[in-house]
Amino acid sequence: MSEPAIRIDHLHVRFDEYYVLQDIHAEIQEESFVAIVGPNGAGKSTLLRTLLGLVIPTEGNVTIFGKEPRNVPADRIGYVPQIKTMDRSFPAQSIELVLTGLNRRWPWTKSKEDYEKALAALEKVGAAHLAKRALSKLSGGELQRVCLARSIVRQPRLVMLDEPATGIDAVGEADMYRDLELYRREAKATVVMITHDWHVAMHHADRVLLINQKQISFDAPSVALSEENLRRAFGHIGHEHGLLSLVKSNG
Amino acid sequence: MGEILSLPFMQRALLGGILVGILASYYGVFIVQRGLSFLGSGLAHAAFGGVALGLLLGAEPLWVAAIFTIVVALGIAWVRLRTNLGGDTTIGIFFAVSMALGIVFLFMRKEYTNDAFAYLFGSILSVTERDLWMTAIVCVLSLFSWPLWKRWSYATFDRELAQSDRLPVVRDDYYLSILIAITVVAAIKVVGIVLIAAFLVIPAATARLMSPTFRLMTILSVLTGVVSAVCGLFLSYYLDVPSGATIILLQAALFVSAMILKTLFRHKA
Ligand SMILES: Nc1ncnc2c1ncn2[C@@H]1O[C@H](COP(=O)(O)OP(=O)(O)OP(=O)(O)O)[C@@H](O)[C@H]1O
Ligand SMILES: [Mg+2]
């Protein structure tokens, strides 16, 4: 078997004296689509930020394509952050944000070649008409699409998304997953996505990781999950017997 | 006109004013967009502490102030990074401590401190060759740091995103702090400690009103800074009022004009 896209081994992350992640193990194969779910504060974003090299493991290690996150060439990874960290008042056109995905710098000038690549990425997510629009005037869903275009413009082999559906209406959300899926197939890319929506996890991902109480408390292919089981798991987060019965019923 | 230009003090003031106008309005863009307008005040008061220390020690006040202000700027950046105190709280603490130190230093000096006036309000007569050297140093550093515009801008937009793209955001921030600190000190003789904060902020705010992109904001801010510095220095000479106040009032006039233009355009569109 080839090297997995992501290998997480014995990972612990501690902030000050408080452990946020404890003994996480997982392997994510290339070309898979993994959804990470779990309650607020469970450590999902921390896990993603560790994979991006933004958080250094306190113990254990993480490799992306066989390398430490910080040594992975940045253009292999596309990241769609939670849009709430952005400065929405920043004077910029959408296309400039997409260009940061190519050059990893805010553009002063743009070459024709880069401009066309950026425009093509916007087109792919159905947002070419937004290219010249001011970032501050985009709706949440439009901004999310521009961010998706930004992440795929560099043709990454791994796309990581942190709650990309926040603030998007149902139609916008469905479109976004369709565009993401299209890219994944076309580029044979791996996708890791944090979501709060079990239905999304089940229907779009091929594997679901539930993070709860600092650990992966549940890891299963999404085909093995029935809606009823999911409901039960969500309702029983933290209750030992709930999770046990879920695992049992999955065989 | 040709006559004043042949006066050595005016030549120094103009050269200093133009360079400092460019620098302050350039760094002002990052200050304004990062919501750190208060940083200008904080550093100006740090500079006051430094100038007072320089006067007390009988050393060149601006050079002592430069070191003092850089230390304070790094201190502010460090505390902000290490704690989750807001920027304004951190700056407020350093602000008060530097001011208090400055007052103590001035009192310890005992002599009558008439020369403090030029530092507080700016005076075109007071720009010396040595002051210009300090300005020249920041200019050269800034020129070499020109490629950093792209990184500082990216981190201004979204720090986490810039970090995820492997930009050394923390190191860049410290460096930006140092450059802003020296700029503040270099601007003291022309603008005066009391008004430096406005000098950093108003051109960038004016540009912000008219710019759809950060690049244009940077260009317009620098233009505003230079034009107001040059016109302000001439006016200050003819009207015989402190140069700092004249420059700031001009900048304010430009800001108001931009505001009015923007409102008019809104109504048309
Ligand atoms: N830089 C930090 N310093 C200290 N504590 C942190 C830091 N980042 C996160 N935490 C803490 O770690 C825990 C997990 O946070 P994280 O953001 O990973 O949760 P999450 O699962 O993404 O939650 P949500 O669903 O709300 O986004 C939280 O208790 C949070 O307070
Ligand atoms: Mg989160």
Side-chain angles (χ1 to χ4, degrees), chain A residues 128-177:
Chain A
H129 63 290
L130 299 176
K132 299 260 174 192
R133 195 84 74 77
L135 275 185
S136 57
K137 301 213 166 100
L138 298 181
S139 74
E142 287 170 337
L143 179 59
Q144 202 57 262
R145 277 165 175 250
V146 173
C147 287
L148 186 61
R150 191 204 83 92
S151 74
I152 63 173
V153 71
R154 56 175 67 159
Q155 302 277 329
R157 283 171 62 194
L158 172 62
V159 184
M160 297 202 253
L161 309 93
D162 197 342
E163 293 182 37
T166 331
I168 307 194
D169 64 37
V171 177
E173 194 180 343
D175 286 348
M176 191 194 62
Y177 294 128

